[in-house]
Amino acid sequence: MPHLEPLPDAEDQIFDAVDNNWVDSHAPYWSRPFLKLSRMDRPIGTWLLLIPCWWGILLAANEKNNFGLESYDFWLLTACSVGAFLMRGAGCTWNDILDKDFDQRVTRTKSRPIPSGQVSISKALIWMFFQTLLAFIILLTFNTFSVIVATSSLFLVSIYPLAKRFTWWPQLFLGLTFNWGVLVGYSAVMEEISLTAILLYMAGVSWTLFYDTIYALQDLNDDIEVGVKSTARLFIKNIKFWLTIFFLIFWTLVGVVLFNSTLENNLVGIGASGLGILLLFMHLLYQVIRLDVSSQSSCLATFKSNRNAGLILVTILFVICFT
């Protein structure tokens, strides 16, 4: 079993927060516990929630429009950006409320606002409701079908933090939750959900299995002691084999979606998709190769690099919208 090297400590900064982040550097002192509760000092989670929304919008825009994006598509891209920021904060708040007893016993998480006593459960609940309400107000600008699709994800949002207690696959539950934005974004444009949208959603689920298994490696020793289940614990003896399986499923499904989306495009669009899918494969393979499972800093850096992996696909979908 690998022994993980600890991340460097800081006086007020939570372990996996961005160095010199705006919350620790510039936010009013009284607001910092609430902002940290929403992970605003760690923006990678917002990116990973937002990117699938952009995938869904751009895929639908490509299927609906002959060329380019309509003004409402740009509004959807912007609205999902704000909505992802708020819902990620609300989801993290809910997660920390449920996980407070576990977080107190894990080195990387014991300094979070709730287990450290900086925020009470009652104040955390109010903060969660406030963020959710703002996100819902933005959602009301979408069509009725996409509002129904979005609100139906609340069951997954509520159950995900509990998954680590009863299954070795909590990363699967996170994948089902975090990639729901594909369906929301797609339905906001098309007012329906197609097979390609479902395939892209399934691709995103596999992508989350890939990156969140890497993320879970940071807490491997503490999770074993506490009894928290994860795919990192389940597959630790063959971890890079399973990471490769997860990213190949993601990459293959993305290839199928892109092939279908570019069937009617010109050679420029087809070429851009081919080049993009090759870059995506190389990026994910490099992550597996460079990953040091015994180092928390390596696991965290590799996990964070998945923002770029997701943005590669965003770029591909954006390009084919204009070809």
Side-chain angles (χ1 to χ4, degrees), residues 270-281:
I270 295 172
S273 295
L275 177 60
I277 201 71
L278 177 61
L279 289 174
L280 182 60
F281 177 84

Side-chain angles (χ1 to χ4, degrees), residues 83-102:
F85 181 80
L86 292 167
M87 284 307 298
R88 192 257 181 146
C92 288
T93 303
W94 176 241
N95 180 85
D96 284 7
I97 290 171
L98 295 180
D99 278 359
K100 61 183 179 63
D101 294 332
F102 286 128

Side-chain angles (χ1 to χ4, degrees), residues 100-232:
K100 61 183 179 63
D101 294 332
F102 286 128
D103 287 346
Q104 289 173 343
R105 302 164 63 187
V106 176
T107 301
R108 187 179 59 83
T109 60
K110 65 183 181 181
S111 60
R112 289 178 177 176
I114 292 178
S116 64
Q118 299 174 64
V119 176
S120 66
I121 297 298
S122 58
K123 289 181 179 178
L125 286 169
I126 294 171
W127 178 236
M128 179 184 71
F129 175 77
F130 176 70
Q131 294 172 96
T132 304
L133 178 61
L134 291 180
F136 183 70
I137 291 173
I138 293 172
L139 180 63
L140 290 178
T141 66
F142 292 20
N143 63 62
T144 302
F145 181 70
S146 61
V147 171
I148 294 172
V149 171
T151 54
S152 65
S153 70
L154 291 178
F155 172 75
L156 289 170
V157 173
S158 64
I159 199 173
Y160 157 68
L162 302 172
K164 64 177 72 71
R165 294 161 169 80
F166 61 81
T167 177
W168 288 100
W169 293 82
Q171 282 69 31
L172 176 61
F173 281 82
L174 180 66
L176 293 170
T177 305
F178 255 50
N179 293 280
W180 199 262
V182 172
L183 306 180
V184 176
Y186 188 93
S187 63
V189 176
M190 301 292 282
E191 298 191 54
E192 63 178 16
I193 296 175
S194 69
L195 177 59
T196 52
I198 293 173
L199 289 176
L200 189 55
Y201 172 63
M202 293 171 59
V205 172
S206 189
W207 179 48
T208 303
L209 279 167
F210 172 75
Y211 67 66
D212 203 55
T213 297
I214 295 172
Y215 185 78
L217 286 168
Q218 298 178 92
D219 300 329
L220 192 62
N221 298 325
D222 285 330
D223 284 351
I224 292 171
E225 181 178 346
V226 174
V228 169
K229 297 178 173 67
S230 71
T231 48

